[in-house]
Amino acid sequence: MNPEEDMSDHPTKGNIKFVTSNEHKFLELQEIFRNSGINLEWIRRKYEEIQGEGTEEISLDSARKITHEINGRFFLEDTGLYIDALNGFPGPYSSYVAGTIGNTGILKLIQGLDRSCRFLTVITYFDGHEFFQFDGMLRGSISKEIRGKGGFGYDPIFIPDGQSITLAEMDIETKSSISHRSLAAQRFISHLMGSR
Ligand code: ITT
């Protein structure tokens, strides 16, 4: 890109608001965006999520509902853990399941079953006019026991394919070098870099 070009109105300039109640998500994404020279502003709030739909629909529906409450461009993201042997459960119910049976409950639930699973993150971005979605997936397997003190949520029971340790045993940079969230973010950043 021509360095003399006027970048003052470029979509990567200025803050982008990230709406989430989850500090871990914010810290992971803040680092990824910072590496691309984009500053994230944390709008710390919980928003309503519909049930009974897929992660993409939930993410879009949530974003639509808060457009009139947030000034300027913003994004949010919805993440789910999908376990193959349970036909994708907990998927859209990941938050509820984490808060009820938790990681110990998941380990009990899949005893004797195939342990393949995946994380799916869907980012929904509202640029003030239109909605855009970007997804990222990480395949892995559920560990035999809870392992590691880093990360959050299901990280202590998730071993990414090709690895022998859980996401909770990795530092934040290592998790972000392979994660579902990071992949979705890279797609989003490419969109921002390309749009004028
Ligand atoms: P917001 O909706 O406010 O952003 P949340 O924590 O409710 O925050 P989600 O609904 O997207 O976020 O997350 C569903 C569940 O999945 C929740 O229990 C998270 O802790 C967990 N989760 C999300 N991302 C994760 C990740 O990268 N590693 C492990 N668990 C994750």
Side-chain angles (χ1 to χ4, degrees):
M1 189 176 293
N2 180 354
E4 314 245 308
E5 210 173 327
D6 178 15
M7 294 283 288
S8 56
D9 66 341
H10 194 274
T12 59
K13 293 290 156 197
N15 287 0
I16 299 184
K17 292 171 179 150
F18 175 30
V19 183
T20 180
S21 63
N22 187 324
E23 183 174 19
H24 297 278
K25 284 186 177 182
F26 177 73
L27 293 175
E28 286 183 14
L29 286 183
Q30 182 185 42
E31 195 55 32
I32 293 164
F33 278 77
R34 189 186 284 142
N35 291 338
S36 295
I38 302 170
N39 192 42
L40 286 194
E41 182 185 340
W42 185 11
I43 308 294
R44 186 176 200 165
R45 56 163 283 182
K46 193 76 205 149
Y47 50 82
E48 194 194 326
E49 289 179 18
I50 47 164
Q51 297 279 275
E53 300 284 345
T55 301
E56 272 155 25
E57 289 79 9
I58 295 171
S59 181
L60 182 59
D61 180 78
S62 303
R64 278 191 201 284
K65 281 182 182 145
I66 59 170
T67 43
H68 59 284
E69 294 168 35
I70 312 278
N71 199 6
R73 59 187 181 155
F74 72 89
F75 72 97
L76 48 76
E77 62 105 305
D78 201 59
T79 296
L81 172 70
Y82 293 74
I83 300 174
D84 295 0
L86 304 178
N87 290 331
F89 183 83
Y93 303 101
S94 293
S95 206
Y96 179 75
V97 167
T100 50
I101 63 172
N103 289 337
T104 314
I106 295 273
L107 292 183
K108 281 194 193 135
L109 213 54
I110 64 154
Q111 259 172 16
L113 301 179
D114 177 74
R115 310 184 84 84
S116 309
C117 58
R118 63 191 187 279
F119 270 124
L120 174 66
T121 291
V122 179
I123 289 176
T124 300
Y125 171 54
F126 182 63
D127 70 354
H129 305 281
E130 283 178 83
F131 293 93
F132 299 88
Q133 289 195 302
F134 310 93
D135 63 8
M137 196 207 285
L138 177 63
R139 287 212 135 270
S141 60
I142 301 291
S143 59
K144 291 262 164 59
E145 69 275 310
I146 291 171
R147 272 175 21 206
K149 299 212 179 310
F152 66 101
Y154 297 108
D155 284 344
I157 58 164
F158 190 98
I159 302 176
D161 279 355
Q163 310 275 331
S164 54
I165 58 175
T166 67
L167 287 173
E169 293 175 292
M170 298 176 181
D171 57 34
I172 192 168
E173 291 80 21
T174 311
K175 176 181 174 185
S176 286
S177 68
I178 54 172
S179 81
H180 41 295
R181 176 163 298 105
S182 158
L183 186 54
Q186 293 305 342
R187 289 180 169 147
F188 179 20
I189 291 167
S190 298
H191 167 84
L192 290 171
M193 298 289 187
S195 60
R196 291 217 49 152

